[in-house]
Amino acid sequence: MIVDLLEWVLSAEHGPKVDPARVALLWPGGSWTYGELNRAVDERAGALSAEGIDAEAVHTMVASNDVDGIVELLATWRCGTTVAPLNMKLTRVEAEGVRLALAEVTTDAQVILWTSGTAGTPRGVALSFDNLCASTRAVGDRLGLSADDVWLASLSMAHVGGLMLVVRALMTGAAVFAAGAFDVETASNLIDGRGPLRGQQPSDGERASGT
């Protein structure tokens, strides 16, 4: 069964409810709370539905490490559709090959991710929502994750490391810094405390413009 992750996070039925006023996404020059992210996801899900997204098919998307990429991921799940994020480094031919391979696939998996290909041809691996929850619990217990954490979206969501970084953050009510392609200076500034603070709230102007 495909689960609407953000709705699950904000629902008290599934554990401690995340405060919609907490910061969910940060990027250079702006931020969104969980409530604002939820509205953006709702808007994008409506657009996907109008475009004719098929809940019975697998939806491929370019897995960009930015706000648009995260919203696309969450909106696809809101539409009740399995998502297959594609690495931005794939060539057009490679990406089209993946889409053709998945065109006839029917699954109720939450996501299809890709192996690295170090031992041969990369393969798609179907993961359920329970798999994502189990991974979050295991890593959370090991690292002591909390809602005060800020995660830098530095890995491709086409692979388990990048996808679970975003999922873990949202499941624990933490924040994700989504700045696109990895940049050494940006990462260094964040590590040294020269980036946005966890408690940063968007200004009224940012709320209105979404920037």
Side-chain angles (χ1 to χ4, degrees), residues 14-182:
H14 307 290
K17 182 178 180 180
V18 174
D19 184 351
R22 290 187 69 86
V23 174
L25 282 182
L26 299 158
W27 63 90
S31 61
W32 274 343
T33 64
Y34 273 84
E36 290 167 324
L37 174 59
N38 191 48
R39 290 191 289 276
V41 168
D42 213 35
E43 181 178 344
R44 179 57 186 149
L48 286 172
S49 295
E51 294 166 9
I53 189 172
D54 184 357
E56 301 298 322
V58 177
H59 178 67
T60 58
M61 58 166 278
V62 177
S64 57
N65 295 353
D66 55 17
V67 174
D68 288 343
I70 292 174
V71 168
E72 183 79 9
L73 173 77
L74 298 174
T76 301
W77 285 337
R78 180 151 296 179
C79 292
T81 304
T82 300
V83 65
L86 304 182
N87 196 306
M88 295 181 66
K89 295 182 179 180
L90 292 181
T91 66
R92 181 178 299 180
V93 172
E94 289 171 331
E96 186 59 28
V98 171
R99 294 188 179 96
L100 289 174
L102 293 174
E104 302 301 321
V105 171
T106 300
T107 177
D108 61 354
Q110 188 78 12
V111 62
I112 295 177
L113 297 177
W114 308 96
T115 60
S116 64
T118 53
T121 303
R123 293 168 296 164
V125 178
L127 297 176
S128 68
F129 189 74
D130 285 343
N131 292 149
L132 305 188
C133 289
S135 175
T136 296
R137 286 194 299 270
V139 175
D141 291 344
R142 180 68 175 174
L143 299 181
L145 305 182
S146 79
D148 292 325
D149 296 330
V150 180
W151 290 86
L152 173 62
S154 57
L155 302 172
S156 170
M157 290 190 296
H159 305 288
V160 68
L163 187 281
M164 285 309 304
L165 184 153
V166 174
V167 169
R168 279 197 304 269
L170 296 179
M171 282 188 172
T172 54
V176 177
F177 188 89
F182 180 76

Side-chain angles (χ1 to χ4, degrees), residues 26-30 150 152 177 179 183-198 200:
L26 299 158
W27 63 90
V150 180
L152 173 62
F177 188 89
D183 178 75
V184 173
E185 184 177 358
T186 297
S188 179
N189 287 340
L190 290 169
I191 292 170
D192 292 340
R194 297 194 297 272
L197 300 176
R198 172 64 183 89
Q200 174 183 335

